Amino acid sequence: MTKVKPALPKGMRDFGPDQMARRNYIVAHLREVFERFGFLPLETPAMEKLETLTGKYGEEGDKLIFKVLNSGDFLKKADREALETHNLTRLAHSIAEKGLRYDLTIPFARYVAMNQGRISFPFRRYQMQPVWRADRPQKGRYREFVQCDVDVIGSTGLLSEAELIQIYQMAFASLNMSIRIRVNNRKILEGLAGYLGVENQFTALTVALDKLDKVGMAGIRPELAARGLLPKAILDLEKLIEKRSWSLDQLGGLLNNERGQEGIAELRRIFSFLPGAARGNVEFDLTLARGLDYYTGTIFEVTAEGVEIGSVGGGGRYDDLTGVFGLPGMSGVGISFGLDRIYDVMEELELFPENMEKASQVLFVNFGGEAEAKSFEMLTRFRLLGLRCEMYPEAAKMKKQMKYANARRIPFVIMLGEEEIKSSMLQVKDMQSGSQTLSTEAGALEMIRAALETQ
Amino acid sequence: MTKVKPALPKGMRDFGPDQMARRNYIVAHLREVFERFGFLPLETPAMEKLETLTGKYGEEGDKLIFKVLNSGDFLKKADREALETHNLTRLAHSIAEKGLRYDLTIPFARYVAMNQGRISFPFRRYQMQPVWRADRPQKGRYREFVQCDVDVIGSTGLLSEAELIQIYQMAFASLNMSIRIRVNNRKILEGLAGYLGVENQFTALTVALDKLDKVGMAGIRPELAARGLLPKAILDLEKLIEKRSWSLDQLGGLLNNERGQEGIAELRRIFSFLPGAARGNVEFDLTLARGLDYYTGTIFEVTAEGVEIGSVGGGGRYDDLTGVFGLPGMSGVGISFGLDRIYDVMEELELFPENMEKASQVLFVNFGGEAEAKSFEMLTRFRLLGLRCEMYPEAAKMKKQMKYANARRIPFVIMLGEEEIKSSMLQVKDMQSGSQTLSTEAGALEMIRAALETQ
C-alpha cells in the first residue's frame, strides 16, 4: 500500500476525547432546553439533491455548496458543451447531482413539504447536525460545523417568537454564557426603505446593513451609492443609524408607512410576552438585517458578551419557505445555535466545568498469568455495578501502567496480584493522595464510591 | 425561484421524531456501555482526503467512495488525458480531492498516526458517526448509515478481545436483543490454507468463505476453482465445512502448522477470560472470514437471533492499520455496531419500549388576548420547574387545539381562560381519561407530576 502522510482536508477538524466531552456538554444542555419547550428531534441526510439546495442561499451561497460526484460513469451525463465552454456551473450540475447539507433550514423545508400529510401542524422540531460550506477557513469559521436549529412551522402566532427568545435566554443561561439578543423585523426594514424612498433598492439596503457591524458606515456608503441610492437617502440613513438606540415608540413616530407600522406592532406584541426582567438582554436594533432572503418578519441575532467572535446564533420568521417545494403559505419561525462558535466562546471565557471527560474511574493493574483472569472477573463485577473501569490490556511494567493511569486522570488503581489473591484482599491506590490501602473487594467498592460521590 | 419536487437522494433517509427517539435510545445504551468499559469519544470530519481513503477497502470499496468535487474551478487541475481516454478513476482524482467517510476505522487510524505524540497508549476510543457508500440500496442496506465503533489500539493484549466480546454481550443485553457472536482467527484461516496446501490462494479462500453464508458451498466452488484451487483442496475444504461445529481441540489435532496452532492458542486464551455462562452466546466458527484485508488475528461477527437480517456487528484485530500513515507496529482490535441494522431488528421484533418520544407533557390552550399572556407566564413557570410543555401558538378553535394535543399524545391540557384568571383557578384535562378538574396552579402541578411519575 502506498504510504500516505496523515492529514485533514482544509478547514476540517477532529474532535478528541477532551473536545468531545465539551461539545457533548453543550449539545446536552441545548437538547434539554429544546425538549423542555416541546420541540421534537429530526435528522435529515448529509446529502440532498443539488436542485433542493441551489438557488436558496444566494449566488455566493451556491458557490459554497460542496457537490458530490455522481458514482459510476459520471462522464456519461456530462454536459459536453459546458465542458468545452468551461461553464463550470452547468458542467458541475451534469456530473454531480447531489450536494452536502449547507444549512438545516432548507432540508427542514424539504422534509415538511414531503411529509405534509403525516405531520400535525404546528410542527415544532429541533435538529442538531453538521453542515458543510466551501468557505475560506479562518478563525471561528470552519468548513464543517454543527448547527442546532429550533423551528415552529405552520402558524403565524407571534407567541413563537417570544418562546424562541426564551430558548436563547434559558439555553445560554444554562451554559453560564452572557449574551445580547438583538431583534428587528423585516417589515420595519421595508418601512425604513419606504421612509428613505429606496423601496426598489431593498436588497441593497439589507445587504449593506448586514455588513455595518464589520465595516461601519464608511464601508457601506460606496456600495449603497453604486446600487443607485441617492446621496440624500444615504445621508438620511446615516442620521438614523447614528442614533442607534431607537425605541419602538420613537421609530413609530417616524416611519409613517403601513409596513413599518406593522413591523413595529409585531415587535410590540412579542415584547409584551416578555415583561420586565424577562426582556433583560433583548434589544430592538434597527440596523439588524440578516442576509438571507427568505426572512419576512421578526429577525434575531445573538452575540456573546466579553469576546470578539461574531454571532453565536440567529434566525427569523419566514412566510414561504416551503412554497418552492410545492407547499405554499406555511409560515414559520426558527433560530439557530452555532455549536462551534459557542464552543470557542466558552473556551475563551473558561466557562467549561473541569474534568468533564468520562474516563474510567478505576484502573485494574494487569499482573498477567492467573492474576489477570482474577482481576478481569472483579473488573466485570465492578462494571455490572455501574462503575466505569478498565484493565491495562497486557502485563506491562508497573511503572508504565501507573503512568497510563496518571495520563488518563483515572482516580483509583486496584492491584490484585498473586499475594492479594491468596489472602482474598486487594490494594486500592488513590491516585490523587497517593495513599494505598489493603482492603476487601466490598470495602474497596465502598471507598471508591464514597470518594467519587464527593467529587 | 424554480419549483422543485421535494425528494431525497437514492438510498438516503430522513428520521422524524418517532424514529429519532428510537435511534437515540439505541445510541444512549451503546454509549453507556462503551463508557462503562473506559472508552472515550472521538469524532472525525465527514470528508477525508481521497488519498486517505483509497486503496484501503479493496477495488470494489474504492468504487463505492463518494467523491466531493473540488470547489472553485475544478477543471483547472483536470487530467485532460484521462478525460479524453475516459479514464474515470484518474479523472475523478484530478477533479475531486476529498471523499466522504466510508467507515470509522481508517479515519481512526489516520487520527492516531497524526496525533501519536499526544495520545497515551493503549488508546481506547469509541466513535458513532454516519458513513457513506455508493452501494446499490436494498433492504437493510443504505447509502448513509451510522456505525458505532469501539477500538483499543497500542497493545497486543488478548484481554481486549475478551472485553470487546463482553461489550457486545452487555450492549445487546441492555437492548433486550438475543444475539450470537461468532469468533474466528485469521491465523487459523492461514493454518487452514496451509492444511489445504493453498497458502498462495489465501485471499481467494477468505473471500469465498465470506460468501459461504449467502451462496453455500455450491456457490463458492466454481470461484475457488477459477482462482486456481485444485479439486482435492476444494474437496478437503468441503469436508471441513460440512462439520461446521469444530471445537478448538478437534481443530488443534488437525491443523499441524505453526500459524494454525498460534491462532488456536489465541482463541483459547481469550475464551479463558470468559468462563462458563460468560461464553453463552459466543462460538468458534471456522468458516468466519471477514472480507477486510487488514485483519490479522481474532475476528468477530454478530448476528441477531429470530430475524433474517444479516450481521449487526463485526470486527477484529489488526496489526498494522496505521503503518500506511507512517506509524508502524501499532496493534489494535476493534468492533463495530451497525445502528441501522440494530434499529431494523428491534423494529421487527418489537423490542422498543412504547411512547419514547419526549413530547410535551402539558399543552396550554391559547385563548388569545390577555389570557394568552397569562397562560404564557404560567407556562414559563412550569418550564422552569423542569416540565416539558408548550402552548398552542395562536388562538385557534378549541377543537383544533385539542386535536393537536391528541395527535402529539400530550397527556395533559391546561385551560386558563378569562373566567379562570378572574378566580385564580385553571382547568386541567387528563387526555387519557378525559376527566377535567378545576384546580389551583400548585394543585395542577402536583396532580400532573404525580400522574407522570406513575407512568
Side-chain angles (χ1 to χ4, degrees):
Chain A
M1 239 180 258
T2 346
K3 293 258 186 251
V4 176
K5 191 176 172 293
L8 282 167
K10 195 166 72 168
M12 312 272 167
R13 297 160 298 159
D14 291 317
F15 300 110
D18 213 51
Q19 289 153 304
M20 280 307 297
R22 293 166 179 223
R23 291 172 71 85
N24 287 341
Y25 173 85
I26 301 173
V27 167
H29 277 75
L30 296 185
R31 184 195 303 276
E32 196 280 321
V33 173
F34 299 164
E35 291 183 346
R36 195 136 42 96
F37 276 73
F39 288 85
L40 299 169
L42 172 73
E43 280 186 12
T44 61
M47 279 176 251
E48 292 279 352
K49 286 171 166 251
L50 212 44
E51 65 200 54
T52 300
L53 302 176
T54 43
K56 314 297 189 301
Y57 308 110
E59 220 173 289
E60 271 313 298
D62 276 358
K63 283 187 199 149
L64 303 183
I65 296 170
F66 280 110
K67 294 165 192 74
V68 178
L69 201 59
N70 293 344
S71 38
D73 185 355
F74 59 88
L75 275 181
K76 213 160 64 184
K77 290 193 200 166
D79 186 329
R80 294 284 165 174
E81 200 189 297
L83 178 60
E84 270 148 41
T85 59
H86 209 93
N87 185 329
L88 292 169
T89 308
R90 262 181 53 200
L91 180 59
H93 278 256
S94 70
I95 61 175
E97 285 167 2
K98 293 179 289 295
L100 294 183
R101 196 165 49 217
Y102 180 91
D103 73 355
L104 304 180
T105 308
I106 294 301
F108 171 56
R110 193 262 311 139
Y111 173 84
V112 168
M114 257 179 84
N115 297 281
Q116 49 186 285
R118 272 169 293 215
I119 296 173
S120 323
F121 293 100
F123 180 42
R124 303 161 77 82
R125 86 87 173 77
Y126 74 86
Q127 188 169 354
M128 307 202 266
Q129 290 191 281
V131 301
W132 297 273
R133 297 184 187 176
D135 235 325
R136 211 159 47 88
Q138 59 186 66
K139 187 173 182 290
R141 196 200 280 158
Y142 312 101
R143 291 187 142 193
E144 173 178 64
F145 56 100
V146 171
Q147 291 192 329
C148 307
D149 275 25
V150 196
D151 286 79
V152 187
I153 196 166
S155 164
T156 54
L158 294 169
L159 185 76
S160 299
E161 271 88 336
E163 282 195 299
L164 294 177
I165 290 173
Q166 277 195 335
I167 287 187
Y168 270 141
Q169 292 175 322
M170 287 198 199
F172 283 113
S174 80
L175 294 171
N176 274 321
M177 248 179 85
S178 296
I179 51 149
R180 228 159 50 100
I181 306 172
R182 290 182 299 144
V183 181
N184 196 3
N185 192 301
R186 297 282 285 200
K187 289 169 190 165
I188 292 179
L189 290 173
E190 285 174 41
L192 176 66
Y195 168 78
L196 298 171
V198 300
E199 292 94 333
N200 295 331
Q201 288 99 353
F202 181 66
T203 304
L205 178 68
T206 55
V207 168
L209 284 178
D210 216 31
K211 295 181 190 159
L212 192 62
D213 274 349
K214 273 189 200 142
V215 300
M217 193 64 210
I220 65 173
R221 216 179 279 124
E223 193 181 321
L224 287 171
R227 298 288 202 109
L229 267 77
L230 297 176
K232 162 95 170 62
I234 297 179
L235 208 66
D236 285 349
L237 175 65
E238 209 164 333
K239 277 189 207 149
L240 278 172
I241 289 175
E242 250 166 41
K243 170 176 162 54
R244 221 184 150 142
S245 59
W246 285 90
S247 73
L248 288 177
D249 288 342
Q250 291 165 330
L251 197 70
L254 196 75
L255 297 191
N256 50 358
N257 56 48
E258 210 179 312
R259 289 302 270 173
Q261 291 297 333
E262 212 178 306
I264 289 168
E266 286 188 6
L267 284 193
R268 279 210 181 100
R269 178 83 186 136
I270 293 162
F271 289 151
S272 78
F273 291 116
L274 307 164
R279 265 200 65 184
N281 49 7
V282 188
E283 62 191 50
F284 165 60
D285 182 352
L286 176 63
T287 68
L288 178 67
R290 301 286 301 164
L292 288 169
D293 272 349
Y294 51 68
Y295 291 128
T296 49
T298 316
I299 44 181
F300 312 95
E301 194 157 291
V302 181
T303 41
E305 301 270 63
V307 277
E308 293 289 326
I309 211 158
S311 80
V312 291
R317 178 168 286 277
Y318 39 84
D319 275 342
D320 194 27
L321 199 61
T322 56
V324 63
F325 299 115
L327 178 63
M330 267 278 167
S331 187
V333 57
I335 55 171
S336 186
F337 290 75
L339 174 63
D340 303 81
R341 288 275 181 88
I342 295 172
Y343 182 99
D344 290 348
V345 170
M346 291 184 65
E347 274 287 6
E348 198 169 324
L349 300 180
E350 298 180 10
L351 296 177
F352 286 111
E354 273 179 46
N355 293 330
M356 283 201 305
E357 258 192 40
K358 283 194 178 166
S360 288
Q361 296 158 324
V362 186
L363 174 79
F364 285 76
V365 170
N366 192 330
F367 290 99
E370 266 187 55
E372 184 176 7
K374 284 282 173 210
S375 301
F376 187 64
E377 277 173 36
M378 188 181 295
L379 164 72
T380 302
R381 288 194 291 274
F382 272 50
R383 280 177 178 156
L384 287 171
L385 290 167
L387 278 170
R388 292 196 305 271
C389 40
E390 67 186 272
M391 183 162 156
Y392 203 84
E394 57 192 79
K397 287 204 177 115
M398 179 66 89
K399 202 176 155 190
K400 193 173 173 190
Q401 299 194 38
M402 286 298 180
K403 202 177 147 197
Y404 172 83
N406 263 323
R408 280 264 175 271
R409 281 172 288 184
I410 300 177
F412 292 97
V413 170
I414 286 185
M415 283 158 280
L416 185 66
E418 274 178 47
E419 239 169 86
E420 285 86 8
I421 292 171
K422 270 185 219 148
S423 60
S424 293
M425 298 295 273
L426 51 81
Q427 301 275 357
V428 196
K429 184 165 183 175
D430 180 327
M431 294 299 280
Q432 209 172 350
S433 70
S435 70
Q436 194 166 314
T437 319
L438 188 70
S439 166
T440 60
E441 181 175 339
L445 249 176
E446 203 178 314
M447 183 197 311
I448 292 169
R449 278 187 162 163
L452 290 173
E453 261 166 38
T454 60
Q455 264 179 3
Chain B
M1 240 180 256
T2 345
K3 293 260 186 247
V4 176
K5 191 175 171 292
L8 282 167
K10 195 166 70 167
M12 311 271 168
R13 298 160 298 159
D14 291 318
F15 301 108
D18 214 48
Q19 290 153 302
M20 281 306 298
R22 294 168 177 222
R23 290 172 72 86
N24 287 341
Y25 173 85
I26 301 173
V27 166
H29 278 76
L30 296 185
R31 184 194 303 276
E32 196 279 322
V33 174
F34 299 165
E35 291 184 344
R36 197 136 42 96
F37 275 74
F39 288 85
L40 299 169
L42 172 74
E43 281 186 12
T44 61
M47 278 176 253
E48 293 279 351
K49 285 170 166 253
L50 212 44
E51 64 199 56
T52 300
L53 302 176
T54 44
K56 314 297 188 302
Y57 307 110
E59 220 174 288
E60 271 313 297
D62 277 358
K63 283 187 198 149
L64 303 183
I65 296 170
F66 280 110
K67 294 163 191 77
V68 179
L69 201 59
N70 294 343
S71 38
D73 185 355
F74 59 89
L75 274 182
K76 211 160 64 184
K77 289 193 199 166
D79 185 330
R80 294 284 165 175
E81 199 189 299
L83 178 60
E84 270 149 41
T85 59
H86 209 92
N87 185 330
L88 293 170
T89 308
R90 262 181 53 199
L91 180 59
H93 278 257
S94 70
I95 61 175
E97 285 167 3
K98 293 179 289 295
L100 293 184
R101 195 165 51 216
Y102 180 90
D103 74 354
L104 304 180
T105 308
I106 295 300
F108 171 56
R110 193 261 312 140
Y111 172 85
V112 168
M114 259 180 82
N115 297 280
Q116 48 185 285
R118 271 168 294 211
I119 296 173
S120 322
F121 293 99
F123 181 42
R124 303 161 76 84
R125 87 87 173 76
Y126 73 87
Q127 189 170 354
M128 306 202 266
Q129 289 190 283
V131 301
W132 297 272
R133 297 183 187 177
D135 233 326
R136 209 159 49 87
Q138 58 186 63
K139 189 175 181 288
R141 197 200 278 160
Y142 312 100
R143 291 187 142 194
E144 173 178 64
F145 57 98
V146 171
Q147 291 193 329
C148 307
D149 275 25
V150 196
D151 285 79
V152 187
I153 196 165
S155 163
T156 53
L158 294 168
L159 185 78
S160 299
E161 270 89 336
E163 282 195 300
L164 295 177
I165 289 174
Q166 278 194 336
I167 287 187
Y168 270 141
Q169 291 174 324
M170 287 197 199
F172 283 113
S174 81
L175 294 170
N176 274 320
M177 248 177 84
S178 297
I179 49 147
R180 228 158 50 101
I181 306 172
R182 291 182 298 142
V183 181
N184 197 2
N185 191 299
R186 297 282 284 201
K187 290 169 189 166
I188 293 180
L189 290 172
E190 286 173 39
L192 177 66
Y195 169 78
L196 297 172
V198 300
E199 293 93 334
N200 295 330
Q201 288 99 353
F202 182 66
T203 303
L205 178 68
T206 56
V207 168
L209 283 178
D210 216 31
K211 294 181 189 160
L212 191 63
D213 274 351
K214 272 189 200 142
V215 300
M217 193 64 211
I220 65 172
R221 215 178 278 126
E223 193 181 322
L224 288 171
R227 297 287 200 112
L229 268 77
L230 298 176
K232 163 94 170 64
I234 297 179
L235 207 65
D236 286 349
L237 175 66
E238 209 163 334
K239 277 188 207 147
L240 279 170
I241 288 175
E242 249 167 41
K243 171 177 163 51
R244 219 182 152 144
S245 58
W246 285 91
S247 73
L248 287 177
D249 287 342
Q250 291 165 332
L251 197 70
L254 197 76
L255 298 189
N256 49 359
N257 56 50
E258 210 181 312
R259 290 303 270 175
Q261 291 298 333
E262 210 179 308
I264 289 169
E266 285 188 5
L267 284 193
R268 279 209 183 101
R269 177 83 186 137
I270 293 162
F271 288 152
S272 78
F273 291 117
L274 306 163
R279 265 199 65 183
N281 50 7
V282 188
E283 61 191 51
F284 165 58
D285 182 352
L286 175 63
T287 68
L288 178 67
R290 303 286 301 166
L292 288 170
D293 273 351
Y294 50 69
Y295 291 129
T296 50
T298 316
I299 44 181
F300 312 94
E301 194 158 292
V302 181
T303 42
E305 300 271 61
V307 277
E308 294 288 323
I309 213 160
S311 79
V312 291
R317 179 170 286 276
Y318 39 83
D319 275 342
D320 194 28
L321 200 62
T322 55
V324 65
F325 298 116
L327 178 64
M330 265 279 166
S331 187
V333 56
I335 54 171
S336 185
F337 290 75
L339 174 64
D340 303 80
R341 288 276 183 87
I342 294 172
Y343 182 99
D344 290 348
V345 170
M346 290 185 65
E347 274 286 5
E348 199 170 323
L349 300 180
E350 298 180 9
L351 295 177
F352 287 111
E354 272 179 47
N355 293 329
M356 283 201 306
E357 258 191 39
K358 283 195 176 164
S360 289
Q361 295 159 325
V362 187
L363 174 79
F364 285 76
V365 170
N366 192 329
F367 290 100
E370 265 188 54
E372 185 174 6
K374 283 283 172 208
S375 301
F376 187 64
E377 278 173 34
M378 189 181 296
L379 164 72
T380 302
R381 288 193 292 274
F382 272 50
R383 280 178 177 155
L384 287 171
L385 291 167
L387 278 171
R388 294 197 304 271
C389 40
E390 67 186 272
M391 185 163 156
Y392 203 85
E394 57 193 81
K397 286 205 176 114
M398 179 66 91
K399 204 178 153 188
K400 194 173 172 186
Q401 299 194 38
M402 285 298 179
K403 205 177 145 194
Y404 172 83
N406 263 323
R408 282 263 174 272
R409 282 173 289 184
I410 299 176
F412 292 97
V413 169
I414 286 185
M415 284 159 280
L416 185 66
E418 274 178 47
E419 241 171 82
E420 285 87 8
I421 292 170
K422 270 185 219 150
S423 60
S424 293
M425 298 295 273
L426 53 83
Q427 301 275 356
V428 195
K429 184 166 183 175
D430 180 327
M431 293 299 279
Q432 208 171 354
S433 69
S435 70
Q436 195 166 312
T437 319
L438 189 70
S439 166
T440 60
E441 182 174 338
L445 249 176
E446 203 177 315
M447 184 197 311
I448 291 169
R449 279 188 161 164
L452 290 174
E453 262 167 36
T454 61
Q455 263 180 2

